[in-house]
Amino acid sequence: GIYCNSSNPTLKNLIINGNTADLWGGGVMLLDSNPTLMNLTISDNSADNGGAINLNSSSPSLENVTIIGNNASGYGGGISCNSGSPSLVNVTISGNTAASGGGMHLSGSDATLINSIIWENSPESIYLSSGSEETLITYSDMQGGWDDGEGNIDANPLFTDPDNGDFTLQEASLCIDAGTA
Protein backbone atom coordinates (compact mmCIF):
# COMPACT_ATOMS: atom_id res chain seq x y z
CA GLY A 1 0.00 0.00 0.00
CA ILE A 2 2.27 2.77 1.31
CA TYR A 3 5.96 2.59 2.23
CA CYS A 4 7.68 5.44 4.09
CA ASN A 5 11.42 5.38 4.81
CA SER A 6 12.90 8.26 6.84
CA SER A 7 9.99 10.54 5.99
CA ASN A 8 7.22 12.32 7.86
CA PRO A 9 4.27 12.88 5.51
CA THR A 10 0.75 13.84 6.52
CA LEU A 11 -1.77 11.37 5.11
CA LYS A 12 -5.43 12.42 5.29
CA ASN A 13 -8.79 11.14 4.13
CA LEU A 14 -7.57 7.86 2.59
CA ILE A 15 -8.82 4.33 2.21
CA ILE A 16 -6.00 1.78 2.12
CA ASN A 17 -7.63 -1.50 1.14
CA GLY A 18 -6.77 -4.93 -0.24
CA ASN A 19 -2.96 -4.77 -0.31
CA THR A 20 -0.54 -7.63 0.34
CA ALA A 21 3.12 -7.61 1.39
CA ASP A 22 5.35 -10.65 1.64
CA LEU A 23 7.04 -9.42 4.81
CA TRP A 24 5.98 -6.18 6.55
CA GLY A 25 3.10 -3.76 6.39
CA GLY A 26 0.39 -4.89 4.02
CA GLY A 27 -1.35 -1.51 4.19
CA VAL A 28 1.37 0.82 5.52
CA MET A 29 5.06 0.18 6.22
CA LEU A 30 6.95 2.82 8.22
CA LEU A 31 10.72 2.68 8.69
CA ASP A 32 12.37 5.49 10.67
CA SER A 33 9.33 7.64 9.93
CA ASN A 34 6.94 9.71 12.05
CA PRO A 35 3.98 10.61 9.84
CA THR A 36 0.59 11.97 10.79
CA LEU A 37 -2.29 9.71 9.72
CA MET A 38 -5.74 11.30 9.92
CA ASN A 39 -9.19 10.11 8.85
CA LEU A 40 -8.01 6.83 7.32
CA THR A 41 -9.62 3.45 6.87
CA ILE A 42 -7.10 0.63 6.61
CA SER A 43 -8.88 -2.62 5.77
CA ASP A 44 -8.45 -6.08 4.27
CA ASN A 45 -4.67 -5.94 3.95
CA SER A 46 -2.24 -8.77 4.75
CA ALA A 47 1.43 -9.37 5.45
CA ASP A 48 3.68 -11.61 7.53
CA ASN A 49 3.90 -8.87 10.17
CA GLY A 50 1.68 -5.80 10.45
CA GLY A 51 -1.28 -6.74 8.30
CA ALA A 52 -2.54 -3.14 8.33
CA ILE A 53 0.50 -1.22 9.63
CA ASN A 54 4.08 -2.23 10.42
CA LEU A 55 6.17 0.25 12.41
CA ASN A 56 9.93 -0.13 12.69
CA SER A 57 11.69 2.59 14.66
CA SER A 58 8.73 4.85 13.92
CA SER A 59 6.40 6.91 16.09
CA PRO A 60 3.43 8.04 14.00
CA SER A 61 0.40 9.95 15.18
CA LEU A 62 -2.93 8.32 14.25
CA GLU A 63 -6.19 10.22 14.69
CA ASN A 64 -9.65 9.09 13.59
CA VAL A 65 -8.29 5.93 11.98
CA THR A 66 -10.26 2.70 11.49
CA ILE A 67 -8.18 -0.49 11.20
CA ILE A 68 -10.46 -3.41 10.33
CA GLY A 69 -10.30 -6.89 8.86
CA ASN A 70 -6.53 -7.12 8.34
CA ASN A 71 -4.42 -10.27 8.71
CA ALA A 72 -0.84 -11.12 9.60
CA SER A 73 0.53 -14.66 9.50
CA GLY A 74 3.01 -13.59 12.19
CA TYR A 75 2.69 -10.53 14.44
CA GLY A 76 0.13 -7.72 14.57
CA GLY A 77 -2.93 -8.19 12.42
CA GLY A 78 -3.80 -4.53 12.96
CA ILE A 79 -0.48 -2.99 14.00
CA SER A 80 2.96 -4.49 14.54
CA CYS A 81 5.38 -2.09 16.22
CA ASN A 82 9.08 -2.66 16.88
CA SER A 83 11.02 0.11 18.63
CA GLY A 84 8.47 2.90 18.32
CA SER A 85 6.05 5.02 20.29
CA PRO A 86 2.87 5.50 18.27
CA SER A 87 0.12 7.80 19.49
CA LEU A 88 -3.45 6.68 18.73
CA VAL A 89 -6.43 8.98 19.38
CA ASN A 90 -9.98 8.05 18.36
CA VAL A 91 -8.79 4.86 16.67
CA THR A 92 -10.89 1.74 16.13
CA ILE A 93 -9.03 -1.57 15.75
CA SER A 94 -11.46 -4.43 15.13
CA GLY A 95 -11.71 -7.78 13.36
CA ASN A 96 -7.98 -8.21 12.76
CA THR A 97 -6.17 -11.55 13.06
CA ALA A 98 -2.58 -12.73 13.54
CA ALA A 99 -0.62 -15.54 15.11
CA SER A 100 0.18 -13.08 17.93
CA GLY A 101 -1.34 -9.68 18.68
CA GLY A 102 -4.48 -9.66 16.57
CA GLY A 103 -5.12 -5.98 17.32
CA MET A 104 -1.59 -4.84 18.14
CA HIS A 105 1.77 -6.50 18.73
CA LEU A 106 4.25 -4.24 20.54
CA SER A 107 7.92 -5.19 20.87
CA GLY A 108 10.29 -2.75 22.54
CA SER A 109 7.61 -0.14 21.96
CA ASP A 110 5.30 1.98 24.07
CA ALA A 111 2.04 3.06 22.51
CA THR A 112 -0.37 5.67 23.82
CA LEU A 113 -4.06 5.05 23.12
CA ILE A 114 -6.76 7.56 24.04
CA ASN A 115 -10.49 7.40 23.24
CA SER A 116 -10.01 4.25 21.19
CA ILE A 117 -11.82 0.94 20.68
CA ILE A 118 -9.93 -2.36 20.46
CA TRP A 119 -12.52 -5.09 19.86
CA GLU A 120 -12.90 -8.57 18.34
CA ASN A 121 -9.29 -9.11 17.32
CA SER A 122 -7.81 -12.60 17.40
CA PRO A 123 -6.07 -14.12 19.27
CA GLU A 124 -5.88 -11.08 21.61
CA SER A 125 -6.38 -7.33 21.60
CA ILE A 126 -2.80 -6.36 22.41
CA TYR A 127 0.32 -8.46 22.89
CA LEU A 128 3.12 -6.78 24.82
CA SER A 129 6.59 -8.21 24.25
CA SER A 130 9.55 -7.25 26.45
CA GLY A 131 10.37 -3.57 26.52
CA SER A 132 6.74 -2.49 26.11
CA GLU A 133 5.86 -1.95 29.76
CA GLU A 134 5.11 1.77 29.43
CA THR A 135 2.13 1.41 27.07
CA LEU A 136 -0.60 3.81 28.22
CA ILE A 137 -4.26 3.23 27.42
CA THR A 138 -6.86 5.65 28.78
CA TYR A 139 -10.56 6.30 28.16
CA SER A 140 -10.71 3.38 25.75
CA ASP A 141 -12.90 0.33 25.24
CA MET A 142 -10.65 -2.71 25.40
CA GLN A 143 -12.06 -6.21 24.98
CA GLY A 144 -10.79 -8.19 27.94
CA GLY A 145 -10.15 -4.97 29.87
CA TRP A 146 -7.02 -2.96 30.60
CA ASP A 147 -6.22 -2.32 34.25
CA ASP A 148 -3.42 0.21 33.89
CA GLY A 149 -5.09 3.45 32.82
CA GLU A 150 -7.87 5.82 33.69
CA GLY A 151 -11.42 5.61 32.35
CA ASN A 152 -11.15 2.33 30.43
CA ILE A 153 -14.16 0.07 29.88
CA ASP A 154 -14.73 -3.48 28.66
CA ALA A 155 -18.14 -3.38 26.94
CA ASN A 156 -19.41 -4.35 23.51
CA PRO A 157 -19.09 -1.06 21.57
CA LEU A 158 -22.32 -1.80 19.65
CA PHE A 159 -21.07 -0.95 16.18
CA THR A 160 -23.96 -0.08 13.85
CA ASP A 161 -23.24 -2.64 11.10
CA PRO A 162 -19.67 -3.96 11.23
CA ASP A 163 -20.40 -6.76 8.73
CA ASN A 164 -20.96 -4.07 6.11
CA GLY A 165 -18.17 -1.72 7.23
CA ASP A 166 -20.22 0.66 9.40
CA PHE A 167 -18.25 1.11 12.61
CA THR A 168 -20.26 4.07 13.87
CA LEU A 169 -21.80 3.51 17.30
CA GLN A 170 -25.41 2.69 18.06
CA GLU A 171 -27.23 5.08 20.41
CA ALA A 172 -27.05 2.58 23.29
CA SER A 173 -23.24 2.19 23.10
CA LEU A 174 -21.43 2.71 26.39
CA CYS A 175 -18.55 4.21 24.38
CA ILE A 176 -20.55 7.37 23.66
CA ASP A 177 -19.36 10.13 26.01
CA ALA A 178 -16.99 7.67 27.76
CA GLY A 179 -13.89 9.38 26.37
CA THR A 180 -12.02 12.45 27.46
CA ALA A 181 -11.84 15.84 25.76
Side-chain angles (χ1 to χ4, degrees):
I2 295 174
Y3 175 75
C4 295
N5 185 346
S6 301
S7 60
N8 305 313
T10 296
L11 304 173
K12 290 183 178 180
N13 306 319
L14 296 174
I15 295 172
I16 303 168
N17 177 266
N19 300 287
T20 301
D22 288 336
L23 297 175
W24 304 291
V28 178
M29 170 60 191
L30 302 177
L31 176 62
D32 296 317
S33 298
N34 303 312
T36 298
L37 310 175
M38 297 176 64
N39 304 318
L40 271 63
T41 297
I42 306 172
S43 62
D44 301 316
N45 300 286
S46 63
D48 284 346
N49 296 303
I53 302 174
N54 191 83
L55 310 173
N56 194 339
S57 300
S58 297
S59 299
S61 171
L62 285 75
E63 186 174 339
N64 300 321
V65 175
T66 303
I67 300 170
I68 53 172
N70 300 284
N71 179 63
S73 58
Y75 304 130
I79 298 173
S80 177
C81 184
N82 184 30
S83 301
S85 299
S87 170
L88 292 79
V89 178
N90 299 326
V91 173
T92 297
I93 302 174
S94 182
N96 302 287
T97 60
S100 176
M104 296 179 73
H105 185 280
L106 302 174
S107 177
S109 301
D110 294 312
T112 300
L113 285 84
I114 302 169
N115 295 344
S116 295
I117 299 171
I118 315 296
W119 202 261
E120 290 191 349
N121 298 286
S122 180
E124 67 268 315
S125 295
I126 297 179
Y127 180 87
L128 299 177
S129 187
S130 66
S132 299
E133 295 82 17
E134 299 299 318
T135 293
L136 176 65
I137 301 174
T138 58
Y139 297 98
S140 294
D141 186 8
M142 174 76 62
Q143 186 171 15
W146 191 268
D147 294 332
D148 297 331
E150 186 177 351
N152 293 320
I153 60 174
D154 178 7
N156 185 329
L158 300 178
F159 295 126
T160 300
D161 190 7
D163 293 336
N164 291 305
D166 186 352
F167 285 83
T168 59
L169 301 174
Q170 296 177 31
E171 234 176 79
S173 174
L174 295 178
C175 294
I176 295 173
D177 296 327
T180 182

